[in-house]
C-alpha cells in the first residue's frame, strides 16, 4: 500500500530520533505497525497519497532541523525492538 511511507513519517522516524536524543537506550522503540496505513489510505488515489506524503515529509524535515542534531549525536544509540542497539546515524540513513 502506498500509505506505508506516510505512516512511517507520522509514527516512526522523528519519534524514534527524538527518543534517542532524550532517552538513549533506556527505552525501546515502539514497534512499527506495518498495517497501520491501511485505514488512513483507504479510498485515496495515488495523487492524493503523494500530496499527503509530500506534506508530512515537509513537516518531518522541519522537525528534524529543530532537533539541531550535531555530528557527535549521530553515534548516540537507541534500542530497536527487533535489532537491538542502533545509532541515530543508522536510523537517519535508513529513513533517507
Amino acid at each position: 500500500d502506498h500509505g506505508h511511507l506516510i505512516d512511517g513519517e507520522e509514527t516512526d522516524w522523528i519519534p524514534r530520533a527524538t527518543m534517542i536524543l532524550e532517552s538513549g537506550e533506556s527505552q525501546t522503540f515502539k514497534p512499527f505497525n506495518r498495517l497501520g496505513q491501511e485505514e488512513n489510505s483507504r479510498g485515496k488515489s495515488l495523487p492524493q497519497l503523494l500530496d499527503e506524503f509530500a506534506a508530512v515529509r515537509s513537516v518531518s524535515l522541519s522537525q528534524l532541523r529543530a532537533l539541531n542534531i550535531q555530528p557527535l549525536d549521530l553515534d548516540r544509540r537507541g534500542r530497536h525492538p527487533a535489532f537491538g542497539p542502533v545509532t541515530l546515524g543508522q536510523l537517519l540513513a535508513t529513513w533517507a
Side-chain angles (χ1 to χ4, degrees), residues 30-74:
K30 180 180 169 186
F32 184 68
N33 180 0
R34 299 202 179 276
L35 302 176
Q37 79 278 359
E38 288 182 6
E39 185 173 318
N40 289 335
S41 62
R42 187 175 297 128
K44 294 179 183 175
S45 68
L46 182 56
Q48 288 173 310
L49 291 170
L50 290 172
D51 287 345
E52 186 174 342
F53 174 70
V56 296
R57 175 57 66 99
S58 178
V59 170
S60 292
L61 292 175
S62 292
Q63 291 171 326
L64 180 64
R65 281 188 289 278
L67 291 175
N68 194 30
I69 294 171
Q70 301 300 308
L72 290 176
D73 292 326
L74 297 176

Side-chain angles (χ1 to χ4, degrees), residues 75-96:
D75 291 329
R76 295 177 68 175
R77 293 163 48 138
R79 183 158 303 279
H80 190 281
F83 305 125
V86 296
T87 66
L88 179 59
Q90 290 168 325
L91 176 77
L92 295 177
T94 302
W95 179 29

